[in-house]
Amino acid sequence: MTGSPTAGSATKRPNRLRRTAVAAVAACGAGLSMVAAAPAPQAAATTTVYVWATGVNMRACPSFECAPYSGIKVSRMNVTAYCQNTGDTVRDGQYVNNYWVQVDAGGPRGWISAVYVSGGDNWSPIPGVSQNFDDCF
């Protein structure tokens, strides 16, 4: 019979299809594993800073427009600082600054004046604390 498949060619076709299917599944699996292996976004770096004053108010924003958190004061302790930004000017004796630092003192995050954080100078940011506002959230 001419034009009809031989026994040898009939077995080659399914094998070729099987190899193609296996290769396609392997390629998809490799693609999925590459997606799964992608590194997770890194959390913003934090810095530990020392609050030298007692009874420092913590606020929801770097401004007097935000009322102090009720019942939350920061006093002479290390806190985790996330970022800093400019806001209202705070004066306390010889110290003056318009930078505010977003911190976590074991409760909700909030903003305190950089005046009360050790390590900075008047009218300057606190060294080592991010000035990238995106790190605040």
Side-chain angles (χ1 to χ4, degrees), residues 60-133:
C61 68
S63 168
F64 295 120
E65 290 181 18
C66 293
Y69 290 157
S70 178
I72 299 176
K73 302 260 186 197
V74 182
S75 296
R76 293 187 182 151
M77 63 188 296
N78 287 318
V79 295
T80 301
Y82 293 89
C83 66
Q84 59 189 322
N85 203 359
T86 56
D88 290 342
T89 299
V90 174
R91 292 179 189 279
D92 190 342
Q94 66 184 14
Y95 304 110
V96 60
N97 211 325
N98 65 336
Y99 277 89
W100 290 66
V101 182
Q102 187 189 59
V103 301
D104 180 344
R109 283 191 197 182
W111 293 89
I112 62 172
S113 171
V115 162
Y116 303 112
V117 177
S118 292
D121 292 322
N122 285 339
W123 298 108
S124 296
I126 301 299
V129 178
S130 173
Q131 293 184 59
N132 182 352
F133 195 69

